[in-house]
Amino acid sequence: MPKEIQVKSVLNKTKRRDPWFLDDYTINLYSSCSFNCLYCYIRGSQYGTHLEKSVSVKSNALEVLDRQLASRAKKGEYGIIVLSSATDAYLQFESEYRLTRQALELILKYRFPVHIITKSDLVVRDFDLLQNIATVAKLPSDLSANLNTGAIVTFSFSCLDDQIARIFEPGATRPSARLRALEQSQKAGLLTGVSLMPLLPFISDNGSQLIHYFETFSAIGINHIFPATLGLFGHLPSDSKTLTLAAVAKHYPELLKKYQGYFANSNRMPQFYRQAFEQKMQSLCAEYNLKRSIL
């Protein structure tokens, strides 16, 4: 079970709005993450090798959030709230603690717009609240002309293959279940998209796989897609580079030298790969009429 902690703040104002995720504010009701994705950027000595063992629940988060939202609303400081930036809002523990659902009730109460980014199908439980938020939220003045909803749901995928996902994101909801939730979100009338990141070189990014992803998402009718390459960090036992390379060595030994070469002196894929990736994404987005932005 996660430990419970007390916090002084839960609504965080961003320095600048991200052009993809449109985050004016972020909320993280949990710390660390039970999905335990090997490639995750939050990894490091702070949380240890097994992220699920270091999950904390911010037990007073709702009380603090109520005060902070009330203050911002009184000043008219409305902006899009992203759930979540450093962990998933729908960890397995959310079924018991229901912090995310209660936070959405407060967000609805104060009429803030929200963007859910998740690897879980548990978000389906809260579609009723998100549908209400979509209609009553007060959008920032500079977005209101181009955005006609106060609720956005983006599902995160690094692949659509459950077997690959078991290796690299062992605690997360399987992609097949996420895909069903994605379809339900679209059918529920919510502005729905995909964060297709990080794609794993030579594992989940070959040509036939990419075409399958884009065909699948286009057929569902998503609004936006955010494709991105893999980034790996650190050399300690609990760092993403160490853990991902170990998984490649175990399950894809023929690829290990390539991965080691790519990340020997950098946290990012080589420039030639990123350029080719960008060209391919532009081509596929044009072919399948998918936007690389929410707006």
Side-chain angles (χ1 to χ4, degrees):
M1 291 298 294
K3 63 181 179 181
E4 297 188 1
I5 60 174
Q6 298 273 307
V7 294
K8 295 181 179 179
S9 174
V10 71
L11 180 70
N12 304 301
K13 184 74 175 72
T14 59
K15 292 182 179 179
R16 60 182 179 85
R17 181 189 293 148
D18 183 90
W20 273 1
F21 301 113
L22 303 182
D23 52 339
D24 296 301
Y25 300 95
T26 62
I27 293 175
N28 292 285
L29 301 166
Y30 304 92
S31 65
S32 192
C33 184
S34 59
F35 289 172
N36 210 33
C37 301
L38 303 186
Y39 49 72
C40 185
Y41 66 89
I42 73 164
R43 283 192 170 278
S45 58
Q46 177 182 0
Y47 297 125
T49 302
H50 300 286
L51 290 179
E52 70 278 8
K53 295 181 179 180
S54 60
V55 173
S56 297
V57 176
K58 299 175 182 179
S59 58
N60 65 329
L62 299 172
E63 176 187 349
V64 174
L65 180 61
D66 196 356
R67 291 199 304 267
Q68 290 186 294
L69 286 175
S71 175
R72 294 285 183 175
K74 186 176 181 180
K75 299 173 185 175
E77 296 175 346
Y78 289 93
I80 295 177
I81 299 173
V82 166
L83 287 167
S84 301
S85 61
T87 188
D88 202 292
Y90 290 96
L91 302 180
Q92 293 89 334
F93 305 108
E94 169 61 18
S95 295
E96 175 185 352
Y97 284 92
R98 299 172 68 86
L99 289 185
T100 297
R101 181 166 180 86
Q102 293 176 81
L104 288 174
E105 290 172 345
L106 291 173
I107 289 169
L108 174 61
K109 172 184 174 182
Y110 292 106
R111 301 179 65 184
F112 277 76
V114 67
H115 182 185
I116 301 287
I117 305 168
T118 186
K119 271 191 168 88
S120 175
D121 59 349
L122 182 56
V123 65
V124 172
R125 179 200 66 186
D126 295 338
F127 280 177
D128 58 334
L129 290 173
L130 291 171
Q131 287 169 326
N132 287 332
I133 292 170
T135 61
V136 306
K138 296 184 178 181
L139 292 166
S141 58
D142 61 331
L143 294 181
S144 58
N146 298 310
L147 189 63
N148 60 3
T149 180
I152 307 161
V153 184
T154 298
F155 290 86
S156 180
F157 295 89
S158 65
C159 64
L160 290 182
D161 187 305
D162 286 355
Q163 296 303 318
I164 295 174
R166 284 189 177 93
I167 297 169
F168 293 97
E169 41 192 53
T173 303
R174 296 291 170 247
S176 54
R178 262 178 266 165
L179 195 60
R180 289 192 292 272
L182 175 72
E183 293 179 281
Q184 290 175 267
S185 180
Q186 181 70 14
K187 290 177 181 178
L190 296 168
L191 189 66
T192 304
V194 166
S195 176
L196 190 59
M197 64 174 80
L199 289 170
L200 304 165
F202 310 105
I203 297 172
S204 69
D205 74 340
N206 69 47
S208 60
Q209 287 171 314
L210 293 174
I211 290 172
H212 173 57
Y213 303 156
F214 276 77
E215 285 181 343
T216 300
F217 297 139
S218 177
I220 291 172
I222 64 170
N223 174 71
H224 54 276
I225 188 166
F226 304 142
T229 60
L230 178 66
L232 296 176
F233 303 87
H235 299 281
L236 297 176
S238 55
D239 290 333
S240 63
K241 186 182 294 186
T242 304
L243 293 169
T244 301
L245 291 182
V248 171
K250 179 178 180 180
H251 298 279
Y252 303 93
E254 71 281 6
L255 298 178
L256 181 59
K257 285 188 177 180
K258 286 186 177 181
Y259 271 73
Q260 289 173 328
Y262 288 156
F263 293 103
N265 300 304
S266 176
N267 298 323
R268 302 200 296 169
M269 291 293 290
Q271 181 68 17
F272 75 86
Y273 176 96
R274 288 184 279 120
Q275 287 179 339
F277 180 86
E278 175 62 23
Q279 292 172 358
K280 186 65 174 178
M281 292 306 105
Q282 288 180 4
S283 173
L284 286 170
C285 285
E287 180 179 353
Y288 291 96
N289 195 30
L290 290 176
K291 298 188 304 178
R292 296 180 71 178
S293 67
I294 292 171
L295 302 176

